[in-house]
Amino acid sequence: MTERRRVAVVGGGIAGLSAAHALLSAHPDTIDVVVLEAQSTLGGKIRTSPFAGLAAVDEGPDAFLARVPWATQWAHRLGLGDQLVSPASGTAAVWWDGMHRIPDGLVLGLPTDIGKLARTRLISWRGKLRAATEVLRPRTSIEADSIGAFVRARFGDEVHERLVDPLVGSIYAADTDRFSLTAVPQLHDLAVSSRSVLVGARSRPAPPSVATAGPVFYAPSGGMSQFVEAAGRAIADLGGTVRTGAPCSLLEPDGARWRLDGEVFDAVVLACPATQAARLVPDPATAAMLDSIEYADVIMVTIAVPAERWPDRLRGMSGYLVPKPVQRLVTAVSFGSQKWPQWQRDDEVVLRISLGRDGRPVLHLTDQQILDAAITETGEHLGISLAPTATRITPWQRAFPQYRPHHHRMVADLEARLPATLAVAGASYHGIGIPACIRSGQRAAEVLGQTVAPVVQ
């Protein structure tokens, strides 16, 4: 007989659920896991609900990246493999005094083919000529660890402001002048692999097509909440305990163990946002490091528009981005029912409108102000009167952690300070997006499993 170890996972978002599932899967006979979620439901920023006659329309993330393994593999492990769907093919655009199709040959907005960049009207000829000089420029230091500093130095302001910042900013709700280059591996790899991005890109293999590599994105057909529900069931089937409506307020050392609100555990995973983790960790210096991580708030407005008002010129598009110099409150618009086949209806078009980013607060606005801004700005961009038949407003406080320059160094220092039986996981640390959060949870489980799992005799 071997005494079972107890591990608490604070936070029932996708990182916490993946940590709990990984611990239970790897140590079914030796570790008990309790997931503690402050809210009444699991999922964190993942939420799916009925809208405009559709059974399941996401209020937060609506997909995950398919071409990194962690989310796709876990979905199959949870029994969701045959329920994964991919977006319909469609072109995306940038709004800059009109719609401009995003040029080919980009990596998160960074040009890799100057000939393809030359064909877009989004960049002026002066901006194109400036971008073309990239091949002549000496290597740019990345010590500043700023996306904006690197891209402006290599390609000029226009490429950064009209391509890179909108694309990266839409993913991270970021101001890329203040966002870590190292934190975006696709851009960082291009920055360090060669003196010139354009020269280096010529020697890189061509990206695989959808036909050979499969879809870029996946989502469960019933919405991203299916992922959460499947994870919750799997944890219960493995003998784990999930408690919702269970906020945590006090974490104290108890010899070699931890006392979490009076309950004793052998190890703890803090899979909550860093601001919450900062209130729990007992070491003031570690708490200060956690509290230094900043966040951007966003609001998702979902509307249904009569199909008769939807012009043919917008059909076949997946949405558009709004660059920072011409932004008011709207940063991006997804044409959801053109993107997802399961959302398609004959009589209405569903749009998801994102408002707010780092440096552009929105949560102080009233619902009417938010709705007015979303409808007015989007209507002006599209050149139509929207007149929505259904609306929904979803505010997300601290939706996106902001990886300031040298974020990776701070996280390494933070984790070096943590006791062996305490781990952190989630978007605050190792990457934003569903796959990165899943991997972060699994990584925490691997570390703690090696530390606390007893050897079975």
Side-chain angles (χ1 to χ4, degrees):
M1 297 294 292
T2 301
E3 180 185 1
R4 297 177 68 89
R5 303 292 194 256
R6 302 188 75 227
V7 178
V9 177
V10 180
I14 202 72
L17 295 174
S18 69
H21 184 262
L23 280 165
L24 291 164
S25 298
H27 309 281
D29 300 318
T30 56
I31 291 181
D32 293 326
V33 177
V34 179
V35 178
L36 301 163
E37 168 54 46
Q39 304 301 315
S40 59
T41 57
L42 297 174
K45 300 300 187 294
I46 294 176
R47 185 189 302 167
T48 309
S49 60
F51 178 75
L54 296 168
V57 175
D58 291 298
E59 300 186 51
D62 65 348
F64 60 84
L65 192 62
R67 293 182 183 176
V68 293
W70 305 302
T72 304
Q73 289 177 354
W74 199 39
H76 282 273
R77 208 170 295 138
L78 295 174
L80 295 175
D82 60 353
Q83 298 179 53
L84 297 180
V85 296
S86 56
S89 59
T91 58
V94 172
W95 189 89
W96 186 281
D97 194 24
M99 290 291 177
H100 301 269
R101 183 182 179 276
I102 294 176
D104 294 329
L106 301 180
V107 175
L108 288 180
L110 202 65
T112 60
D113 186 324
I114 204 66
K116 292 176 179 177
L117 184 70
R119 292 193 281 272
T120 182
R121 294 184 178 181
L122 176 59
I123 307 296
S124 72
W125 277 109
R126 181 176 180 178
K128 294 171 187 175
L129 290 171
R130 169 62 180 86
T133 69
E134 194 274 342
V135 296
L136 306 174
R137 295 180 179 273
R139 181 182 290 273
T140 298
S141 170
I142 63 168
E143 179 54 33
D145 196 33
S146 158
I147 293 173
F150 177 79
V151 177
R152 291 180 192 274
R154 298 306 309 173
F155 290 96
D157 292 342
E158 282 195 29
V159 165
H160 179 253
E161 292 174 355
R162 303 184 192 185
L163 286 173
V164 177
D165 189 68
L167 267 72
V168 177
S170 68
I171 297 170
Y172 299 102
D175 175 349
T176 52
D177 285 310
R178 306 176 64 218
F179 202 87
S180 168
L181 177 65
T182 308
V184 184
Q186 301 99 312
L187 298 184
H188 181 260
D189 290 349
L190 285 172
V192 301
S193 62
S194 176
R195 172 193 60 82
S196 160
V197 172
L198 292 174
V199 171
R202 294 172 191 164
S203 62
R204 297 170 72 92
S209 66
V210 171
T212 59
V216 178
F217 295 100
Y218 277 134
S221 58
M224 289 298 295
S225 285
Q226 272 191 284
F227 219 149
V228 174
E229 292 160 4
R233 288 194 299 271
I235 289 168
D237 290 344
L238 289 167
T241 301
V242 175
R243 302 176 191 165
T244 56
C248 300
S249 59
L250 183 61
L251 178 66
E252 302 172 290
D254 184 6
R257 297 180 172 183
W258 295 95
R259 191 172 291 275
L260 183 58
D261 290 338
E263 191 170 356
V264 176
F265 294 94
D266 295 283
V268 177
V269 180
L270 296 176
C272 49
T275 49
Q276 276 89 355
R279 301 188 188 106
L280 289 172
V281 295
D283 175 54
T286 304
M289 296 174 76
L290 288 163
D291 215 26
S292 71
I293 298 174
E294 300 177 56
Y295 290 79
D297 306 324
V298 300
I299 294 174
M300 182 68 70
V301 175
T302 310
I303 66 173
V305 178
E308 62 190 26
R309 290 179 175 268
W310 196 249
D312 288 340
R313 59 185 166 80
L314 298 177
R315 299 187 187 279
M317 292 181 62
S318 59
Y320 68 94
L321 311 169
V322 186
K324 186 169 55 179
V326 293
Q327 277 179 6
R328 284 176 281 174
L329 292 177
V330 172
T331 60
V333 179
S334 171
F335 303 161
S337 56
Q338 294 186 169
K339 179 179 176 182
W340 294 108
Q342 67 271 26
W343 294 6
Q344 290 179 2
R345 296 182 57 179
D346 293 334
D347 57 340
E348 289 180 319
V349 177
V350 175
L351 309 183
R352 299 201 328 148
I353 305 168
S354 300
L355 293 83
R357 59 163 175 79
D358 181 29
R360 190 64 55 89
V362 287
L363 294 188
H364 64 286
L365 300 172
T366 66
D367 283 357
Q368 191 60 55
Q369 288 173 319
I370 292 163
L371 199 57
D372 288 346
I375 293 171
T376 300
E377 292 181 31
T378 304
E380 290 174 359
H381 294 153
L382 300 179
I384 60 175
S385 175
L386 292 176
T389 56
T391 62
R392 182 177 69 192
I393 298 172
T394 309
W396 292 113
Q397 185 179 30
R398 293 189 294 273
F400 291 90
Q402 297 301 297
Y403 294 170
R404 300 300 182 212
H406 307 298
H407 173 84
H408 63 292
R409 295 180 186 172
M410 186 276 291
V411 171
D413 291 343
L414 166 69
E415 292 188 316
R417 296 185 62 91
L418 295 175
T421 54
L422 183 63
V424 294
S428 299
Y429 314 105
H430 305 116
I432 296 169
I434 302 296
C437 288
I438 290 170
R439 178 57 188 138
S440 180
Q442 292 170 344
R443 178 176 175 269
E446 291 167 7
V447 171
L448 292 189
Q450 294 171 1
T451 302
V452 303
V455 177
V456 180
Q457 301 296 326

